[in-house]
């Protein structure tokens, strides 16, 4: 809580609020303002100005609040986008004014001002226009109707339990508040792997879906549903799911009309098709454009979107063939279809070509699709990065991906300009991510995993924010302004991705985890399995040859100097070397170390640094709330122990495989 002169400053402006509009979203903003100020300043916000005549005022430009009309002229209004806002401290009118073109913009502006106060920022002299960079800022839930959460590490679903909707609308309302506060405007509430009963979400369970949509609507969030491509067959009304069959098309058109009758602002469908045994258009000799466009035509009259996932590969291929490469799959499937998708179809592309590994290159589809709407997909849930038992702050990874230059239009073609729609002038674009929330009291299981959820929203709103700035915001809002506390937690967060990578995945290999649940080391867990081959380690060397001349040719899917750099064993970055090249263990890296020595060193150092995370956190005992301290301490103890297990299993495996000892003569079992 602010104190002294800082508190006096906030009290001067924030004791009164002027709001005239009855719109539900603006009334939600008013509630958030009152709750936030009461929590941070300990005062009840009234409607009458304080003795100095000062207040906070907010509303839409077209509303009836005279303060908004007086503070913001036409020039400012023109700069504010559909979800943006203007905020200004106006001495002339005696108010801090928040004006927007839409009620959602007003809500985002209120959360912005609360964030400034919570971060102890100066609120005098405010004068800025703030617009979100990305149009779609989406969360994908992988919640199942039975209450389980696929790749969920924070308890069970708060939407469903025992094949019923929980009806926990207060929890869902708090979740909507949480998401809106960081700028999320779209949420898909069920798993992309749609099961039989979940197919009924677009028919039998529409009243329950509509109830959740009503909660979301108040916070500027549109509800989406994942749908089963074979829905017409599962409900027993049509004997096929062929997207070109007239009966199938009509079935989806009828379902869309029913959904929009119940949820007028319904966002649309999220679809996973023809991957990992999910049904899709391939069954009928059709392509992904045929399938997506059929659904798009059903939604188009209502303004709905089809989010079509590009996570498509044949999991039944013969992975022993070294020319078979899962990394190629998305590009090979979707590049030939560029320009064939309807305007309300958006391709959702994972940040890398594989599956959310701790390190992999950026998907080459970014830059390859010039005439297709696209969003990037991240995974906030730490499926392969410690499962919210290990701290792994992912914002630096996401920043690296968004800043990656594709060279699609020369020297200034970063991924962030593709996904925000500016590079190709896309009609729809943005960012989506797999949620890391559940019904755990702290939402994310590991308290520090909240930084990923917060950071994702802030980065989706503005990709120019730094990982350091986002961490500082979250720490200040969660733990308060004590610089000693914030310094320790900031260092833990900012070091954590590198630490996790160092004791798990050497030089871009990945996948050395236990099959199915994906937690803990298992070096050969996925080698030559039905899902793929990932390191090809033998007694001579390690790595996957993805070069043009001798390998799978995957490197050629990139543009210009990226293709050349990845194809060259001399030029390839060390951190991705084994993703692109099979090399001897004695191959010398740019760092000057051999591959095998790098593996030994990073795993020893990673385990040591994981233990140092616990020691750093221990220095905060007594400085933060005891229950919060204990939550994190327990997780960091597990991480420190688990890092040793990773170290020992990985180092032992490669020592026995290569027959080359550690130059440091450390113990390898």
């Amino acid at each position: 809580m602010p104190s002294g002169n800082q508190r006096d400053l906030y009290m001067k402006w924030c004791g009164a609020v002027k709001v005239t509009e009855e719109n539900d979203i603006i009334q939600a903003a008013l509630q958030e303002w009152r709750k936030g100020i009461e929590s941070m300043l300990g005062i009840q916000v009234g409607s009458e100005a304080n003795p100095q005549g000062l207040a906070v005022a907010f509303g839409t430009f077209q509303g009836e609040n005279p303060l908004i009309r007086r503070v913001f002229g036409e020039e400012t209004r023109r700069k504010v986008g559909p979800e943006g806002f203007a905020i200004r401290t106006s001495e002339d009118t005696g108010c801090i004014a928040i004006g927007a073109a839409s009620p959602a913009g007003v809500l985002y502006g209120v959360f912005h001002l609360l964030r400034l106060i919570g971060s102890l920022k100066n609120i005098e002299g405010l004068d800025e226009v703030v617009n979100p960079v990305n149009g779609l800022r989406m969360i994908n839930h992988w919640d199942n109707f039975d209450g389980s959460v696929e790749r969920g590490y924070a308890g069970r679903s708060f939407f469903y339990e025992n094949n019923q909707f929980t009806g926990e609308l207060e929890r869902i309302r708090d979740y909507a508040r949480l998401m809106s506060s960081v700028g999320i405007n779209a949420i898909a509430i069920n798993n992309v792997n749609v099961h039989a009963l979940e197919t009924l979400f677009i028919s039998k369970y529409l009243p329950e879906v509509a109830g959740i949509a009503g909660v979301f609507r108040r916070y500027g969030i549109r509800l989406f549903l994942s749908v089963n491509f074979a829905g017409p067959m599962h409900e027993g009304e049509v004997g096929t799911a062929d997207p070109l069959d007239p009966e199938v098309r009509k079935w989806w058109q009828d379902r869309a009309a029913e959904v929009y009758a119940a949820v007028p602002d319904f966002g649309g469908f999220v679809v996973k098709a023809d991957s990992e045994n999910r049904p899709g258009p391939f069954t009928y000799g059709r392509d992904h454009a045929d399938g997506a466009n059929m659904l798009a035509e059903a939604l188009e009259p209502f303004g709905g979107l089809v989010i079509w996932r590009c996570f498509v590969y044949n999991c039944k291929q013969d992975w022993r063939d070294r020319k078979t490469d899962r990394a190629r799959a998305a590009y090979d499937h979707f590049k030939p279809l560029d320009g064939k998708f309807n305007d309300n179809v958006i391709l959702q592309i994972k940040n890398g070509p594989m599956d959310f590994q701790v390190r992999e290159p950026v998907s080459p589809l970014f830059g390859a699709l010039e005439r297709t709407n696209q969003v990037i997909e991240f995974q906030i849930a730490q499926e392969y990065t410690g499962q919210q038992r290990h701290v792994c702050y992912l914002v630096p990874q996401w920043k690296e991906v968004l800043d990656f230059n594709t060279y699609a239009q020369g020297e200034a073609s970063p991924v962030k300009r593709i996904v925000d729609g500016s590079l190709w002038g896309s009609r729809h674009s943005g960012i989506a991510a797999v949620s890391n929330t559940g019904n755990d009291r702290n939402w994310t299981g590991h308290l520090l995993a909240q930084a990923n959820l917060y950071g994702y929203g802030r980065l989706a709103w503005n990709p120019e924010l730094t990982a350091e700035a986002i961490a500082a915001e979250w720490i200040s809002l969660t733990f308060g302004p004590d610089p000693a506390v914030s310094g320790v937690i900031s260092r833990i967060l900012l070091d954590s991705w590198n630490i996790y990578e160092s004791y798990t995945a050497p030089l871009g290999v990945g996948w050395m985890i236990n099959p199915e649940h994906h937690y803990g080391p298992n070096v050969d867990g996925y080698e030559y399995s039905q899902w793929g081959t990932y390191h090809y380690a033998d007694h001579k060397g390690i790595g996957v040859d993805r070069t043009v001349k001798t390998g799978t040719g995957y490197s050629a899917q990139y543009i210009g100097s990226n293709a050349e750099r990845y194809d060259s064993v001399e030029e390839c970055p060390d951190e991705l070397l084994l993703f692109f090249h099979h090399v001897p263990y004695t191959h010398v890296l740019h760092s000057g170390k051999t591959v095998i020595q790098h593996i030994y060193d990073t795993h020893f150092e990673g385990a040591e640094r994981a233990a140092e995370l616990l020691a750093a956190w221990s220095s905060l005992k007594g400085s933060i709330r005891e229950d919060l301290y204990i939550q994190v301490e327990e997780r960091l103890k597990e991480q420190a122990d688990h890092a040793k297990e990773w170290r020992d299993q990985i180092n032992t495996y490669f020592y026995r495989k290569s027959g080359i000892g550690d130059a440091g003569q450390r113990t390898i079992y």
Side-chain angles (χ1 to χ4, degrees):
M1 183 177 289
S3 59
N5 293 336
Q6 189 103 51
R7 186 172 188 276
D8 292 341
L9 170 66
Y10 294 150
M11 293 278 285
K12 181 177 83 169
W13 289 100
C14 301
V17 63
K18 299 291 187 180
V19 177
T20 61
E21 294 167 82
E22 295 299 323
N23 175 277
D24 283 349
I25 296 177
I26 291 178
Q27 288 300 306
L30 178 59
Q31 290 180 6
E32 294 302 320
W33 178 252
R34 285 179 166 149
K35 286 179 181 177
I37 293 303
E38 182 178 1
S39 174
M40 290 187 287
L41 301 182
I43 61 172
Q44 299 284 333
V45 176
S47 56
E48 297 297 324
N50 65 25
Q52 296 169 287
L54 303 178
V56 169
F58 50 83
T60 62
F61 297 135
Q62 65 272 21
E64 299 177 355
N65 193 326
L67 289 171
I68 301 301
R69 290 199 298 269
R70 287 174 60 190
V71 171
F72 300 112
E74 187 60 32
E75 183 180 353
T76 298
R77 298 181 189 192
R78 283 197 300 268
K79 296 177 183 177
V80 178
E83 293 183 292
F85 59 88
I87 184 168
R88 181 176 296 161
T89 305
S90 172
E91 298 285 352
D92 293 341
T93 59
C95 76
I96 296 176
I98 300 169
S102 68
V106 173
L107 179 62
Y108 296 137
V110 168
F111 279 128
H112 176 79
L113 183 54
L114 288 170
R115 182 165 51 246
L116 292 177
I117 294 170
S119 303
L120 300 185
K121 298 293 178 23
N122 188 1
I123 60 173
E124 294 195 318
L126 294 174
D127 188 7
E128 59 181 331
V129 171
V130 181
N131 289 306
V133 171
N134 291 290
L136 191 70
R137 305 176 301 280
M138 188 176 196
I139 292 286
N140 290 173
H141 277 264
W142 285 0
D143 295 36
N144 300 313
F145 203 27
D146 64 6
S148 63
V149 180
E150 184 175 340
R151 310 309 180 194
Y153 312 110
R156 294 178 66 78
S157 173
F158 45 79
F159 294 120
Y160 324 109
E161 188 59 66
N162 297 323
N163 295 324
Q164 298 181 67
F165 284 76
T166 63
E168 294 179 2
L169 294 186
E170 284 301 314
R171 175 76 171 183
I172 293 169
R173 182 172 292 108
D174 283 344
Y175 177 64
R177 295 171 59 213
L178 190 69
M179 294 297 91
S180 183
S181 73
V182 291
I184 300 301
N185 66 358
I187 298 176
I189 64 171
N190 63 312
N191 194 354
V192 293
N193 293 316
V194 182
H195 303 96
L197 285 174
E198 290 143 25
T199 300
L200 301 175
F201 282 12
I202 57 174
S203 54
K204 178 179 178 180
Y205 295 106
L206 269 178
E208 291 84 354
V209 170
I212 296 173
V215 174
F216 285 178
R217 185 178 302 118
R218 188 174 172 85
Y219 293 92
I221 298 168
R222 295 175 74 187
L223 182 145
F224 285 69
L225 288 174
S226 296
V227 294
N228 187 337
F229 189 82
M233 298 174 66
H234 282 297
E235 291 206 38
E237 298 176 25
V238 183
T240 178
D242 183 350
L244 300 190
D245 186 287
E247 288 189 51
V248 171
R249 301 174 86 86
K250 186 177 186 305
W251 188 91
W252 282 107
Q253 290 163 8
D254 291 345
R255 296 294 84 73
E258 291 172 9
V259 172
Y260 279 95
V263 185
D265 60 344
F266 179 66
F269 297 147
V270 178
V271 187
K272 177 180 178 179
D274 287 315
S275 185
E276 297 184 331
N277 301 310
R278 303 307 302 164
F282 286 176
T283 301
Y284 308 96
R286 317 303 186 190
D287 61 33
H288 288 280
D290 293 328
N293 290 343
M294 178 268 294
L295 294 173
E297 289 170 10
L299 295 173
E300 196 276 333
F302 310 99
L305 302 174
V306 174
I307 314 292
W308 191 272
R309 297 179 82 237
C310 293
F311 183 56
V312 175
Y313 68 101
N314 183 358
C315 62
K316 297 180 180 179
Q317 294 179 98
D318 183 0
W319 299 103
R320 293 166 296 182
D321 180 354
R322 293 203 177 199
K323 294 294 184 181
T324 299
D325 188 358
R326 175 173 166 180
R328 292 185 56 102
Y331 186 102
D332 287 345
H333 282 302
F334 288 95
K335 171 61 175 173
L337 299 177
D338 188 25
K340 296 183 178 181
F341 293 92
N342 287 12
D343 280 349
N344 61 325
V345 174
I346 308 175
L347 297 187
Q348 183 165 303
I349 307 166
K350 288 190 177 184
N351 62 271
M354 302 299 277
D355 194 14
F356 303 127
Q357 298 301 296
V358 67
R359 174 78 66 176
E360 56 183 288
V362 173
S363 171
L365 267 181
F366 294 112
L369 302 175
E370 302 180 20
R371 296 171 293 152
T372 303
N373 299 319
Q374 53 204 285
V375 298
I376 193 168
E377 180 182 6
F378 292 123
Q379 190 183 49
I380 312 172
Q382 295 171 227
E383 178 180 357
Y384 298 100
T385 52
Q387 299 192 355
Q388 288 150 241
R389 302 191 216 180
H390 297 219
V391 58
C392 188
Y393 180 53
L394 293 170
V395 175
Q397 182 196 62
W398 300 335
K399 286 281 294 180
E400 193 172 285
V401 171
L402 291 169
D403 289 340
F404 178 80
N405 193 359
T406 65
Y407 298 107
Q409 280 195 341
E411 290 300 314
S413 306
V415 170
K416 61 189 174 187
R417 286 196 56 217
I418 295 171
V419 301
D420 71 16
S422 63
L423 191 70
W424 307 121
S426 305
R427 180 183 174 192
H428 299 290
S429 57
I431 299 184
V434 181
S435 173
N436 68 343
T437 57
N439 66 3
D440 278 5
R441 186 176 180 185
N442 70 5
W443 295 100
T444 57
H446 196 315
L447 181 65
L448 298 187
Q450 288 182 3
N452 286 329
L453 186 62
Y454 178 88
Y456 166 73
R458 296 291 285 133
L459 203 61
W461 182 278
N462 180 8
E464 300 305 320
L465 292 172
T466 67
E468 292 81 2
I470 291 171
E473 279 185 4
W474 178 78
I475 294 165
S476 179
L477 295 171
T478 305
F479 295 98
D482 185 339
V485 171
S486 60
V488 169
I489 300 176
S490 177
R491 196 71 268 144
I492 288 173
L493 291 176
L494 294 169
D495 287 346
S496 60
W497 176 38
N498 176 264
I499 291 172
Y500 187 84
E501 180 181 18
S502 68
Y503 62 75
T504 56
L507 304 170
V509 170
W511 292 100
M512 295 189 299
I513 35 81
N514 285 303
E516 302 303 332
H517 62 73
H518 295 171
Y519 187 72
N522 186 335
V523 185
D524 278 332
Y526 275 89
E527 273 311 274
Y528 300 106
S529 75
Q530 64 168 324
W531 304 107
T533 301
Y534 301 104
H535 63 64
Y536 284 115
D538 56 24
H539 68 287
K540 295 180 180 179
I542 179 177
V544 182
D545 185 351
R546 292 188 163 104
T547 64
V548 173
K549 186 175 181 179
T550 59
T552 70
Y554 167 77
S555 61
Q557 292 185 342
Y558 291 88
I559 297 169
S561 60
N562 285 332
E564 296 168 5
R565 184 164 54 109
Y566 290 148
D567 198 62
S568 166
V569 71
E570 292 80 19
E571 298 298 323
C572 187
D574 283 351
E575 66 269 18
L576 290 172
L577 177 70
L578 302 184
F579 192 94
F580 285 98
H581 298 276
H582 187 86
V583 298
Y585 292 107
T586 53
H587 174 85
V588 178
L589 303 169
H590 296 123
S591 67
K593 293 183 180 181
T594 62
V595 166
I596 190 64
Q597 194 59 46
H598 173 92
I599 291 172
Y600 294 152
D601 287 349
T602 54
H603 285 79
F604 278 115
E605 291 164 7
E608 291 172 5
R609 294 175 71 197
E612 289 168 2
L613 293 176
L614 176 60
W617 183 259
S618 298
S619 72
L620 299 179
K621 188 172 179 62
S623 298
I624 61 175
R625 225 173 68 192
E626 182 68 10
D627 60 327
L628 302 184
Y629 174 83
I630 291 172
Q631 283 183 41
V632 177
E633 181 185 50
E634 290 174 350
R635 298 281 176 161
L636 291 177
K637 284 179 179 178
E638 178 181 353
Q639 181 171 354
D641 289 341
H642 203 215
K644 294 175 184 177
E645 182 184 352
W646 273 97
R647 174 199 66 194
D648 293 342
Q649 288 204 29
I650 302 299
N651 282 347
T652 297
Y653 176 93
F654 285 110
Y655 170 63
R656 293 177 179 176
K657 186 73 78 171
S658 69
I660 300 172
D662 169 35
Q665 298 184 329
R666 291 162 292 195
T667 301
I668 299 177
Y669 298 98

